[in-house]
Amino acid sequence: MKTTYLFQLLLTLTAGPNLAPACLTEVERHGGHILTSLHKRQDSPALSNNDTVPIGTGDRFNNGTLFPQGIGSRPYTQTQNLTGVPQLETIYNVAEIKSALLGLQREYPSQVIYFELPHMTYQNATMFGAKIRSKIPKGQQSSNKGYRVLLEAAIHARERGGPDYTINFVSDLLYADKHSLPNITYGGVSYPLSQVRSALSLGIVIIPLVNPDGVSYDHSTNACWRKNRNPLSSTPSDPYSIGIDLNRNFAPVWNFTNDLAPLAAPPASFDPSSETFAGTAPLSEPEAKNIDWAMAAFPDLTWFLDLHSMATLVLYGWGHDSNQVTDPQMNLLNPIYDHKRGIIPDQLISPSARYKEYIPQAEWDASILAAGHVASRMTDSTGRIYVAIQATSLYPTSGNSVDHGKWRRIAGKSKRSINGLAVEFGVANGEAECQFYPTAGMHRLNMIEVGVGLMEFLGAAGRLRF
């Protein structure tokens, strides 16, 4: 077991873009933690000296009476740096994320509908989102039909900026549409009004704060906190054992000790102190249940995007094994392949023990094309290089949200597959104690790149069929 795992680790570390830490640092992937204290304050000397973007105080949207406007619909004189644009200078706090959506609904009542999801978090927070389209037909405000794209952010609490960039992006689309701007611009990339309106015509659902408990804790403590705050599996002497990694709590290959080969690199953990603790059952956490609910509640969804940081990567599924298109029976729900999945590469094992995950050819092609467009144009926007790869090329994962939309079709939960991507925006802040917290300069570049990435994703969603 040790030899095989070390061989896979060597491949990972020598595969070019995989050197990026992404959602997990190398220390965390091997069971450690990057902070020695969970109670670092934002005004501590260690953090105040490294120019991390502060969390906003108060409510810049005044409980929804004011609305957000992103970087793409503003004049370049305002956006060459963010100084002098108070709305964009700091990270949205938890209250402001909700307030921003209410502000969008108030400013664009015929295009935006705020909604709340049914499952309350452990700390009794309500998750929320917005439905956005060109124009909501009269009498159809309650209808969930006609929405083809779902965007989510902040499933990992410490990956700051995701909610801001998602909200600011859709606010750019809405502002440009209402005011007939000739284009929206993110760094070196511009999109004409016709593309803006085409994007809105798809019907967009956003859930910008998947992990409200974790984000609230991370904002108040600077603890570099990743998981949610469910303590039911924790031990009192171990503060790291609080919480579940929500992006290991979805259904695909959740029970990895049964679904994967004994020699496969572990994609998650059942140890509560691990940063990748998968929870006590698939969809055990209300946050994951809410995303599953949204995938079911919006019947026309065909595309899904999950925002993460920080690796300058665009990832497509599957996340637990290599893909194949020839044998539909070789799939993650077929028990005859239990204990065989997850060996990557598998050329060195017996042919009878080899496994690759089935994906329809058109769906795989669409994933590659969409990811490639997103990565290429994000690179064009600022010059920072983004790369599109299958998620297994970064590190194997189980129970992730990107694969959950495909799992739903295979499991008979929906008639169609929801094709998913994960965008790992930005780079590590090597000067910060928590490298997921961006500097002001990083924050601006992230905002530009994510704007382009989301616009390219919507364009691909409109063009590609599978």
Side-chain angles (χ1 to χ4, degrees):
M1 180 173 181
K2 179 182 286 187
T3 301
T4 302
Y5 179 70
L6 290 175
F7 173 66
Q8 290 181 329
L9 179 60
L10 179 62
L11 286 173
T12 298
L13 292 175
T14 57
N18 305 341
L19 291 172
C23 294
L24 285 169
T25 67
E26 201 62 32
V27 170
E28 291 170 327
R29 287 179 58 198
H30 294 89
H33 303 281
I34 62 175
L35 290 185
T36 57
S37 171
L38 290 176
H39 302 287
K40 302 293 183 182
R41 301 302 305 178
Q42 190 156 8
D43 57 359
S44 71
L47 289 179
S48 63
N49 291 334
N50 59 38
D51 193 32
T52 59
V53 179
I55 307 303
T57 58
D59 181 358
R60 74 196 81 186
F61 305 114
N62 195 27
N63 198 32
T65 60
L66 302 174
F67 64 94
Q69 182 185 353
I71 198 171
S73 58
R74 294 176 182 267
Y76 177 71
T77 53
Q78 291 185 17
T79 60
Q80 55 188 323
N81 60 64
L82 301 182
T83 304
V85 188
Q87 193 181 104
L88 303 178
E89 284 182 322
T90 58
I91 299 290
Y92 295 169
N93 63 47
V94 169
E96 288 177 317
I97 296 169
K98 177 178 179 179
S99 183
L101 293 192
L102 293 174
L104 288 177
Q105 179 178 249
R106 184 175 183 272
E107 179 67 13
Y108 309 103
S110 66
Q111 295 177 281
V112 179
I113 295 177
Y114 168 90
F115 66 90
E116 295 183 344
L117 292 100
H119 302 286
M120 305 283 284
T121 70
Y122 180 82
Q123 295 181 344
N124 291 317
T126 298
M127 287 174 58
F128 49 82
K131 305 185 293 186
I132 301 154
R133 59 193 307 178
S134 299
K135 185 174 177 63
I136 300 168
K138 188 176 181 179
Q140 294 188 25
Q141 286 83 355
S142 62
S143 174
N144 287 338
K145 293 183 178 180
Y147 296 91
R148 292 179 54 193
V149 176
L150 172 59
L151 310 177
E152 74 167 27
I155 198 168
H156 291 145
R158 66 193 179 186
E159 295 168 19
R160 293 183 178 178
D164 310 49
Y165 309 150
T166 305
I167 292 168
N168 291 342
F169 169 71
V170 296
S171 75
D172 283 333
L173 299 182
L174 293 161
Y175 188 91
D177 179 44
K178 180 175 180 176
H179 298 279
S180 297
L181 299 186
N183 54 60
I184 57 173
T185 300
Y186 299 100
V189 180
S190 292
Y191 299 95
L193 182 60
S194 60
Q195 285 185 255
V196 169
R197 288 176 171 164
S198 178
L200 285 170
S201 73
L202 290 172
I204 305 163
V205 180
I206 66 169
I207 302 174
L209 184 60
V210 176
N211 186 359
D213 295 352
V215 170
S216 180
Y217 180 76
D218 181 73
H219 283 186
S220 65
T221 64
N222 282 332
C224 207
W225 192 256
R226 171 183 168 92
K227 300 185 285 183
N228 73 0
R229 294 294 296 168
N230 181 351
L232 296 181
S233 298
S234 66
T235 55
S237 61
D238 182 6
Y240 290 108
S241 65
I242 295 172
I244 286 82
D245 182 349
L246 297 175
N247 210 34
R248 300 296 184 274
N249 190 239
F250 290 86
V253 196
W254 178 86
N255 189 10
F256 63 91
T257 55
N258 175 78
D259 297 336
L260 302 187
L263 298 182
S269 175
F270 291 127
D271 176 0
S273 68
S274 170
E275 297 288 357
T276 60
F277 176 45
T280 58
L283 301 176
S284 64
E285 303 309 293
E287 299 92 338
K289 287 178 181 175
N290 278 331
I291 300 303
D292 180 68
W293 174 89
M295 289 182 174
F298 293 91
D300 297 323
L301 289 176
T302 54
W303 286 92
F304 169 83
L305 187 141
D306 187 15
L307 271 184
H308 290 266
S309 70
M310 56 338 165
T312 60
L313 292 174
V314 182
L315 308 173
Y316 56 89
W318 294 94
H320 60 277
D321 212 322
S322 303
N323 292 349
Q324 57 92 9
V325 298
T326 57
D327 185 0
Q329 297 306 308
M330 186 179 283
N331 68 68
L332 73 172
L333 294 184
N334 190 335
I336 69 170
Y337 295 106
D338 288 352
H339 308 294
K340 293 184 177 182
R341 305 176 184 92
I343 301 294
I344 308 168
D346 59 8
Q347 288 89 341
L348 301 181
I349 63 175
S350 166
S352 64
R354 294 176 186 172
Y355 180 91
K356 289 181 172 59
E357 191 63 48
Y358 177 72
I359 183 172
Q361 182 73 67
E363 188 173 324
W364 192 7
D365 289 347
S367 297
I368 294 172
L369 286 169
H373 279 292
V374 170
S376 175
R377 295 297 270 169
M378 290 179 81
T379 298
D380 290 343
S381 67
T382 67
R384 292 200 297 195
I385 296 174
Y386 279 76
V387 178
I389 56 174
Q390 187 175 342
T392 51
S393 299
L394 179 63
Y395 45 70
T397 61
S398 58
N400 69 76
S401 63
V402 166
D403 286 344
H404 190 72
K406 294 192 286 291
W407 171 88
R408 286 183 55 82
R409 180 189 62 80
I410 297 170
K413 304 292 185 181
S414 62
K415 294 181 180 180
R416 67 175 73 191
S417 186
I418 301 174
N419 214 348
L421 300 182
V423 170
E424 294 268 359
F425 64 80
V427 297
N429 180 1
E431 300 301 315
E433 188 170 28
C434 180
Q435 58 192 289
F436 294 88
Y437 301 167
T439 66
M442 291 174 177
H443 181 49
R444 177 179 174 274
L445 292 177
N446 294 346
M447 201 177 301
I448 291 169
E449 291 163 354
V450 172
V452 168
L454 294 179
M455 192 66 182
E456 290 296 326
F457 178 70
L458 294 180
R463 292 189 307 271
L464 300 174
R465 298 290 185 269
F466 56 90

